[in-house]
Amino acid sequence: MILALETSCDETAAALVTSDGEIRANVVASQADLHARYGGVVPEIASRRHLELVLPVIREALEQAGSTLDDVERVAVTSGPGLIGALLVGLSAAKSLAWARRLPLVPVDHLHGHVASLYLRPDPVEPPFLCLLASGGHTLLLDVQDHSGYRRVGTTLDDAAGEAFDKGARLLGLGYPGGAELDRLAREGDPDAHPFPVARVPGSDFSFSGLKTALLYAVRDLPADELERRRADLAASYQRAIVRALVERTLAAAEHLGTERIAVVGGVAANSELRAALPHASLAPLPLCTDNAAMIGSAARFLEAIPYPGYLELDAYASAG
Ligand code: KG4
Ligand code: ZN
């Protein structure tokens, strides 16, 4: 059994995953409420909260699985990319646990983790496929040929798709992070009410900053009561533009790569319109779209472990190489 930890942003998460991809426990403590009043994640607050939560979350995962540390054969942990202070809490906890019990440790790339959310039971997806990874921090198109990694074929030139959702939600007066709330509000609105631009940058890349500015201009001059009346229409039209950009680029990249197999992972993969717009794609299961540790344990199954005690020098990294 693998004990996996994930603390790259504002979720403190621990999971127990078997080597054949069964989830025995998956505990996620979200700090979103703590950061909501600031309208975004405050790195120092996140690190401190991870420190308070990491051991209780591990204990709860073990309890949920009906296991003890004696059952753990490997420790897996996200080593980057993410908030450096937040990552270091998880990495230090993982190193200490592994070292104290003389276990091997597997450092996992957070993005590989999102892809590996597809490899878990009961319905594992097998490579090769083209993967759209859309989250709060990243929007990537990945050529996935095997379980152990990926090749990047496209990225965002500015904001991530989740960031576009969150910033749009904020302009519409919704809470943080607003993606899920905007998704709900959009269901009551007309997606054709406002023609928002879909950026078409060259190649397989994305751009969302122009869209965000377009929404800003649309809401800026509206009187409060008028904004209230049009909020659902604005949400629906704004979401339509994000989804259209994601789907268009993904389908074009799939054609370019000569594959019909498409998968979607990351927080934005929870979006109901995106899920409906790609009916033939493999979609990450809803509870595994946003950050969690089960996906980190899943990725660890396909990676080399560092034997005891070689990992004590291991460092976290903030940005993807
Ligand atoms: O993967 P994730 O938990 O964190 C990162 O690795 O960044 O993704 C979080 C992002 C947030 O921006 C959140 O607003 C967005 O995913 N999100 C959604 C939905 N649920 C979460 N965006 C659109 N529709 C949703 N239903
Ligand atoms: Zn993530």
Side-chain angles (χ1 to χ4, degrees), residues 178-197:
E181 257 187 272
L182 198 148
D183 187 353
R184 268 193 297 278
L185 180 62
R187 281 172 220 166
E188 299 157 24
D190 173 6
D192 298 317
H194 295 265
F196 283 117

Side-chain angles (χ1 to χ4, degrees), residues 98-125:
W99 187 79
R101 306 193 67 92
R102 300 184 171 246
L103 296 173
L105 183 124
V106 192
V108 176
D109 171 81
H110 181 78
L111 307 174
H112 184 209
H114 273 297
V115 177
S117 67
L118 296 162
Y119 304 148
L120 289 159
R121 285 167 188 271
D123 297 307
V125 180

Side-chain angles (χ1 to χ4, degrees), residues 37-258:
R37 56 191 284 219
Y38 306 104
V41 178
V42 184
E44 272 308 314
I45 295 178
S47 311
R48 254 179 279 156
R49 192 69 182 134
H50 282 309
L51 208 50
E52 291 167 357
L53 287 173
V54 69
L55 289 178
V57 161
I58 293 171
R59 260 186 227 115
E60 192 175 329
L62 287 167
E63 201 166 298
Q64 232 179 54
S67 304
T68 68
L69 283 176
D70 290 340
D71 303 316
V72 174
E73 290 152 309
R74 290 211 268 170
V75 179
V77 63
T78 308
S79 54
L83 302 170
I84 196 72
L87 287 162
L88 284 171
V89 175
L91 186 60
S92 307
K95 280 184 194 175
S96 319
L97 269 174
W99 187 79
R101 306 193 67 92
R102 300 184 171 246
L103 296 173
L105 183 124
V106 192
V108 176
D109 171 81
H110 181 78
L111 307 174
H112 184 209
H114 273 297
V115 177
S117 67
L118 296 162
Y119 304 148
L120 289 159
R121 285 167 188 271
D123 297 307
V125 180
E126 297 299 321
F129 51 79
L130 171 73
C131 188
L132 168 65
L133 191 173
S135 71
H138 300 90
T139 305
L140 297 164
L141 282 168
L142 307 170
D143 177 12
V144 180
Q145 288 295 327
D146 58 56
H147 291 104
S148 67
Y150 55 79
R151 184 178 66 88
R152 192 195 285 211
V153 294
T155 185
T156 178
L157 302 180
D158 38 60
D159 292 350
E163 202 177 347
F165 268 107
D166 295 339
K167 287 177 176 170
R170 190 175 185 175
L171 288 170
L172 293 172
L174 304 172
Y176 174 84
E181 257 187 272
L182 198 148
D183 187 353
R184 268 193 297 278
L185 180 62
R187 281 172 220 166
E188 299 157 24
D190 173 6
D192 298 317
H194 295 265
F196 283 117
V198 176
R200 291 184 181 86
V201 291
S204 292
D205 292 331
F206 302 92
S207 166
F208 294 105
S209 63
L211 177 61
K212 173 191 66 192
T213 309
L215 179 64
L216 173 67
Y217 288 153
V219 301
R220 197 176 53 173
D221 303 321
L222 286 181
D225 56 333
E226 185 69 11
L227 174 60
E228 189 51 43
R229 229 168 30 81
R230 291 212 212 152
R231 241 158 48 106
D233 285 347
L234 286 163
S237 305
Y238 185 75
Q239 173 171 286
R240 171 64 53 90
I242 298 177
V243 169
R244 207 170 257 175
L246 292 173
V247 170
E248 272 181 12
R249 270 295 133 95
T250 304
L251 294 179
E255 194 176 318
H256 187 71
L257 286 175

